């Protein structure tokens, strides 16, 4: 079974989304009873085991029999409930489809001996009451001033009905032997007690204290009609509201694209977030906002991107293109914060779902391969990193051709591996291939790629002891960086200028980065993600 439900539960738990109804509470207990009209609560059954269909077994440890579990979907089934020496009172409890709710579920058990005793006691009460009714009817027939033949006919009908009552006795005995008085309020505890003991006059009198039921039914029907009319009006309002959302979303998207082209990143982020706020359940909009923030503000605001990705995953459909993209993006963030095991799970899941779509030339697949390559790079497993980068390169070339920006970025990734393994000849070869492609592309994203390529080529020439050429490439990289970031959020290593200024700036950035990282890791560890 796929891991997506596990990932949803674990990752979303980091931001407390389980508070929206993901946790179901319940009790394993004996029946609550009425003894001489007094309520006797049931007892919890610690030591019981509850198995939820598709989930793990839950051991009940609390003395009151309480337990809880996480519900990955809105509905769930109880596969089994076990306690040595006990059996379920409601044998259909393991066949029902339950709906996740803030109200607890009650799994009521009794010893077989106690349950048989309760059934027999209920039968005796019912038979005793029916016998009283039979005697009363016999007396009424005897008192009739009619012929013997007519009386005999009435007695035949009476006894025939009495024979048919056997089925009724069994059904009513089962109903009352399974009744858990703990689940009734005080009013209905009394009503049920009177009915169970044949005191129908008392039950009727008590029920009538709540008012005339016929009037109440009419009022409820009228209320239902009024609610239906209000729902129709609300639905019309929702339709208009949704149209307004979509129109404003298109405008936000247009502003976002315009500011992106103009390289006004802060303004672009403002409008893509504005669109995401219009509908927090729109997984596509949440994912898009997270991706843009991740691409351009990674080191300073990856926590915000993480929140958007979590929200997108929560509202995406398993196996859909959006869920694939979100799992890939979560894998990138987890790689960034060094949660490598979880990152690999998320990326492998994304790849599995993407391959399951069986779509020819699906562009998300090379993105996932590149992300897996990035993960292996951080793990310093360079051979596997290059293997995944080359898979991505082959697919990008097939989908977009040899001169595309994604091809250039992948050349850069491969060149970086050779640089890290001190193979500067091959590193420079791949970076120059990347440079040849990216230098002929003019858009905002290509500038980021070009900036990284210039910087790495400078690093390569520095290692080759050619400082003057290294300086030229660093200078070019810095010129692009200055144009892209007026506040220079991402400046990692200043090859030019004052060493003191560079070191002080990097130390400040590192402190901020570690503060953010510690907060994220705190959330991760608190939710058992390690």
């Amino acid at each position: 079974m796929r891991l997506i439900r596990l990932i949803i539960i674990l990752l979303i738990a980091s931001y407390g989304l389980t508070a929206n109804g993901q946790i179901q509470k319940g009790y394993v207990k004996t029946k609550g009873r009425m003894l001489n009209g007094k309520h006797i609560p049931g007892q919890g059954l610690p030591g019981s085991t509850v198995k939820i269909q598709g989930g793990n077994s839950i051991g009940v440890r609390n003395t009151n029999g309480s337990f809880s579990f996480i519900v990955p979907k809105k509905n769930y089934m109880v596969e089994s409930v076990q306690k040595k020496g006990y059996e379920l009172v409601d044998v259909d409890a393991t066949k029902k489809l339950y709906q996740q709710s803030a109200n607890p579920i009650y799994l009521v058990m009794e010893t077989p001996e106690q349950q048989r005793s309760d059934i027999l006691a209920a039968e005796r009460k019912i038979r005793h009451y029916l016998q009283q009714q039979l005697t009363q009817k016999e007396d009424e027939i005897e008192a009739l001033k009619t012929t013997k033949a007519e009386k005999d006919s009435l007695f035949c009908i009476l006894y025939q009905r009495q024979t048919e009552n056997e089925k009724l006795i069994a059904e009513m005995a089962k109903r009352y032997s399974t009744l858990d008085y703990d689940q009734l309020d005080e009013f209905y505890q009394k009503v049920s007690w009177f009915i169970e003991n044949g005191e129908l006059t008392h039950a009727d009198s008590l029920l009538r204290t709540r008012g005339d039921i016929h009037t109440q039914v009419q009022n409820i029907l009228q209320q239902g009609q009024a609610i239906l009319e209000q729902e129709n009006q609300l639905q019309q309002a929702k339709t208009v509201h949704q149209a307004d959302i979509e129109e404003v979303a298109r405008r936000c998207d247009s502003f976002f694209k315009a500011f992106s082209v103009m390289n006004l990143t802060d303004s672009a982020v403002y409008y893509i977030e504005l669109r995401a706020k219009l509908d927090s359940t729109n997984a596509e909009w949440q994912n898009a906002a997270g991706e843009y923030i991740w691409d351009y503000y990674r080191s300073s605001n990856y926590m915000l991107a993480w929140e958007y990705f979590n929200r997108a995953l929560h509202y995406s459909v398993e196996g859909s293109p959006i869920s694939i993209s979100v799992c890939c993006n979560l894998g990138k963030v987890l790689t960034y914060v060094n949660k490598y095991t979880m990152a690999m799970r998320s990326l492998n899941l994304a790849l599995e779902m993407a391959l399951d779509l069986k779509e020819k030339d699906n562009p998300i697949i090379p993105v996932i391969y590149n992300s897996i390559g990035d993960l292996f790079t951080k793990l310093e497993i360079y051979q596997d990193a290059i293997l995944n980068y080359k898979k991505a390169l082959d697919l990008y070339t097939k989908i977009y051709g040899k001169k595309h920006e994604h091809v250039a970025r992948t050349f850069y990734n491969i060149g970086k591996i050779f640089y890290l393994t001190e193979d500067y000849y091959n590193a420079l070869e791949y970076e120059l291939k990347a440079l040849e492609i990216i230098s002929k592309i003019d858009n905002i994203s290509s500038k980021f790629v070009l900036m990284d390529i210039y910087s790495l080529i400078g690093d390569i020439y520095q290692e080759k002891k050619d400082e003057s050429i290294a300086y030229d490439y660093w200078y070019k990289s810095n010129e692009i960086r200055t144009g892209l970031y007026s506040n220079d959020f991402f400046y990692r290593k200043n090859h030019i200028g004052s060493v003191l200024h560079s070191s002080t700036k990097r130390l400040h950035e590192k402190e901020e980065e570690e503060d953010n990282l510690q907060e994220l890791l705190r959330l991760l560890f608190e939710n058992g993600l390690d």
Side-chain angles (χ1 to χ4, degrees), residues 174-192:
K174 179 181 178 183
R175 181 186 308 170
Y176 285 109
S177 67
T178 58
L179 182 61
D180 179 17
Y181 278 90
D182 291 345
Q183 299 182 52
L184 303 177
D185 62 23
E186 185 176 356
F187 178 83
Y188 284 104
Q189 284 176 352
K190 291 179 179 179
V191 170
S192 296

Side-chain angles (χ1 to χ4, degrees), residues 206-273:
L206 185 58
L207 287 169
R208 290 182 184 278
T209 62
R210 292 287 175 96
D212 181 55
I213 193 167
H214 302 289
T215 302
Q216 291 171 351
V217 168
Q218 290 303 314
N219 289 338
I220 288 172
L221 291 174
Q222 291 173 5
Q223 291 170 1
Q225 183 61 35
I227 290 171
L228 182 60
E229 292 173 1
Q230 291 173 2
E231 286 178 345
N232 289 335
Q233 294 175 359
L234 179 61
Q235 186 57 48
Q236 293 174 6
K238 284 182 177 180
T239 301
V240 173
H241 181 62
Q242 185 60 37
D244 290 342
I245 288 175
E246 292 172 1
E247 195 280 326
V248 173
R250 282 192 291 270
R251 288 169 57 198
C252 287
D253 187 53
S254 296
F255 277 120
F256 161 70
K257 289 175 179 175
F259 284 116
S260 295
V261 170
M262 290 187 290
N263 191 26
L264 297 173
T265 308
D266 289 345
S267 296
V269 166
Y270 173 79
Y271 283 103
I272 199 169
E273 283 199 278

Side-chain angles (χ1 to χ4, degrees), residues 181-400:
Y181 278 90
D182 291 345
Q183 299 182 52
L184 303 177
D185 62 23
E186 185 176 356
F187 178 83
Y188 284 104
Q189 284 176 352
K190 291 179 179 179
V191 170
S192 296
W193 166 251
F194 286 140
I195 294 174
E196 183 181 354
N197 287 274
E199 298 181 24
L200 303 186
T201 302
H202 288 91
D204 180 73
S205 176
L206 185 58
L207 287 169
R208 290 182 184 278
T209 62
R210 292 287 175 96
D212 181 55
I213 193 167
H214 302 289
T215 302
Q216 291 171 351
V217 168
Q218 290 303 314
N219 289 338
I220 288 172
L221 291 174
Q222 291 173 5
Q223 291 170 1
Q225 183 61 35
I227 290 171
L228 182 60
E229 292 173 1
Q230 291 173 2
E231 286 178 345
N232 289 335
Q233 294 175 359
L234 179 61
Q235 186 57 48
Q236 293 174 6
K238 284 182 177 180
T239 301
V240 173
H241 181 62
Q242 185 60 37
D244 290 342
I245 288 175
E246 292 172 1
E247 195 280 326
V248 173
R250 282 192 291 270
R251 288 169 57 198
C252 287
D253 187 53
S254 296
F255 277 120
F256 161 70
K257 289 175 179 175
F259 284 116
S260 295
V261 170
M262 290 187 290
N263 191 26
L264 297 173
T265 308
D266 289 345
S267 296
V269 166
Y270 173 79
Y271 283 103
I272 199 169
E273 283 199 278
L274 207 59
R275 185 182 71 164
K277 289 176 182 177
L278 282 170
D279 184 357
S280 61
T281 67
N282 188 312
E284 182 179 354
W285 295 354
Q286 304 306 310
N287 188 49
E291 281 184 342
Y292 194 78
I293 291 167
W294 172 252
D295 287 340
Y296 297 110
Y297 292 108
R298 181 174 312 173
S299 66
S300 63
N301 219 348
Y302 58 83
M303 288 288 290
L304 183 58
W306 171 272
E307 290 176 8
Y308 277 114
F309 293 147
N310 269 313
R311 200 174 299 121
L313 183 62
H314 184 65
Y315 291 109
S316 63
V317 177
E318 179 180 348
S320 66
I322 287 297
S323 71
I324 296 169
S325 176
V326 175
C327 282
C328 180
N329 288 330
L330 285 168
K332 293 177 184 178
V333 180
L334 290 165
T335 298
Y336 185 77
V337 297
N338 305 328
K339 303 297 290 184
Y340 300 127
T341 301
M342 287 187 62
M344 187 60 77
R345 287 177 182 172
S346 191
L347 292 170
N348 282 336
L349 175 61
L351 182 60
E352 177 191 344
M353 290 191 293
L355 294 174
D356 281 351
L357 292 179
K358 294 181 171 56
E359 293 180 359
K360 187 178 180 181
D361 301 335
N362 187 342
I364 190 63
I365 295 177
V367 174
I368 299 169
Y369 280 130
N370 248 330
S371 300
I372 295 174
D374 293 341
L375 173 55
F376 279 123
T377 300
K378 286 202 73 172
L379 289 169
E380 299 183 4
I381 307 175
Y382 298 126
Q383 186 175 358
D384 287 342
I386 287 183
L387 179 64
N388 281 278
Y389 285 144
K390 287 187 174 180
K391 288 180 180 179
L393 182 63
D394 290 343
L395 290 171
Y396 276 141
T397 304
K398 184 179 178 182
I399 296 169
Y400 301 112

